Amino acid sequence: MNIETASRQVDALGNPTRLRIYRALVRAGETGAPVGQVQEALGLPASTLSHHLKKLLEVGLIRQERSGTTLHCHAEYPVMRALVGFLVDECCVDEGTNVG
Amino acid sequence: MNIETASRQVDALGNPTRLRIYRALVRAGETGAPVGQVQEALGLPASTLSHHLKKLLEVGLIRQERSGTTLHCHAEYPVMRALVGFLVDECCVDEGTNVG
DNA sequence: CATCTATTTCCATGAATATCGAAACAGCCT
DNA sequence: AGGCTGTTTCGATATTCATGGAAATAGATG
């Protein structure tokens, strides 16, 4: 993980619409959610949603898998883990161990 | 924590320059770092740095404290903790406990 | 007050972003 | 082929952003 990759991934989540999309996919869990379902749940026009999905795909935060005619979107948990790891890996080191 | 606050904070970190600034402050630890020191370390013009610092201040990710003539900037660890908590609080719930 | 240093504001500019309708396209299934 | 589901492209607009030079300001000190 480097700062360029991290900032592009963080940037992808920095848009409120994309953050909503991403969290919807996180909630959808292992099976993911079809694009149409996300679209309806968030009330987004197709092209707008597609633009945002593309950005999330580009930075690797989500993945798509075809199942019949529908494309299921999944949150890529390992990528998020790595990103969070990068954000906090030098965080709070001076503050002892009062975690939780 | 709500999605608007979270996305503004995430957005603040989504710019590579600001991510560098933030990480420099994280590394600076408890004492923080004077703006001038950050400026020299990252090689940024004063006004550019100031714009970025302002944004980080606005979303609460950093704090400034005067010490004599210099202003020390600090990373606000609790804010980052809350943000990371928001990002992962529903993350990976289906993936068991293979943490670390 | 004068002066010094450290930081911010003002202003401008070029670039990128977010949004979305419409229409063409692509992959899959029956 | 025909009907799904979803993506891409075109085209348009309003907004926001990143950048940085110049000038103003703030706080400490003498």
Side-chain angles (χ1 to χ4, degrees):
Chain A
M1 174 70 68
N2 58 67
I3 214 148
E4 296 304 327
T5 300
S7 73
R8 282 194 307 122
Q9 289 178 343
V10 172
D11 183 58
L13 293 174
N15 174 273
T17 301
R18 277 195 300 272
L19 188 51
R20 282 193 191 92
I21 293 169
Y22 181 78
R23 283 175 67 80
L25 295 182
V26 167
R27 272 185 234 101
E30 263 306 292
T31 40
V35 175
Q37 191 173 304
V38 176
Q39 182 178 350
E40 195 176 350
L42 301 185
L44 296 171
S47 68
T48 299
L49 176 57
S50 196
H51 283 308
H52 288 312
L53 286 177
K54 189 180 176 185
K55 190 149 193 168
L56 289 169
L57 284 164
E58 278 171 2
V59 302
L61 278 165
I62 69 172
R63 164 181 45 100
Q64 284 181 329
E65 248 167 50
R66 186 169 285 279
S67 169
T69 24
T70 69
L71 275 176
H72 284 256
C73 305
H74 308 257
E76 283 278 31
Y77 298 152
V79 175
M80 172 57 97
R81 271 194 222 106
L83 177 58
V84 167
F86 179 81
L87 289 176
V88 299
D89 68 354
E90 298 182 28
C91 180
C92 316
V93 290
D94 300 327
E95 286 208 332
T97 52
N98 52 336
V99 179
Chain B
M1 174 69 70
N2 58 68
I3 213 149
E4 296 304 327
T5 301
S7 73
R8 283 193 306 123
Q9 289 178 343
V10 173
D11 182 58
L13 293 174
N15 173 274
T17 301
R18 277 195 299 274
L19 189 52
R20 282 193 191 93
I21 293 169
Y22 181 78
R23 283 174 67 81
L25 295 181
V26 167
R27 271 184 234 102
E30 263 306 292
T31 41
V35 177
Q37 190 172 306
V38 177
Q39 181 179 350
E40 195 176 350
L42 301 185
L44 296 171
S47 67
T48 298
L49 176 58
S50 192
H51 283 307
H52 289 311
L53 285 176
K54 188 180 177 187
K55 189 148 194 170
L56 289 169
L57 284 164
E58 277 170 3
V59 302
L61 278 165
I62 69 171
R63 165 180 44 100
Q64 284 182 327
E65 248 167 52
R66 182 168 289 277
S67 169
T69 26
T70 70
L71 275 175
H72 284 257
C73 305
H74 308 257
E76 283 279 30
Y77 297 152
V79 175
M80 173 55 98
R81 271 194 222 106
L83 177 57
V84 167
F86 179 80
L87 288 176
V88 298
D89 70 353
E90 298 182 27
C91 180
C92 317
V93 290
D94 300 325
E95 284 212 331
T97 53
N98 53 336
V99 178

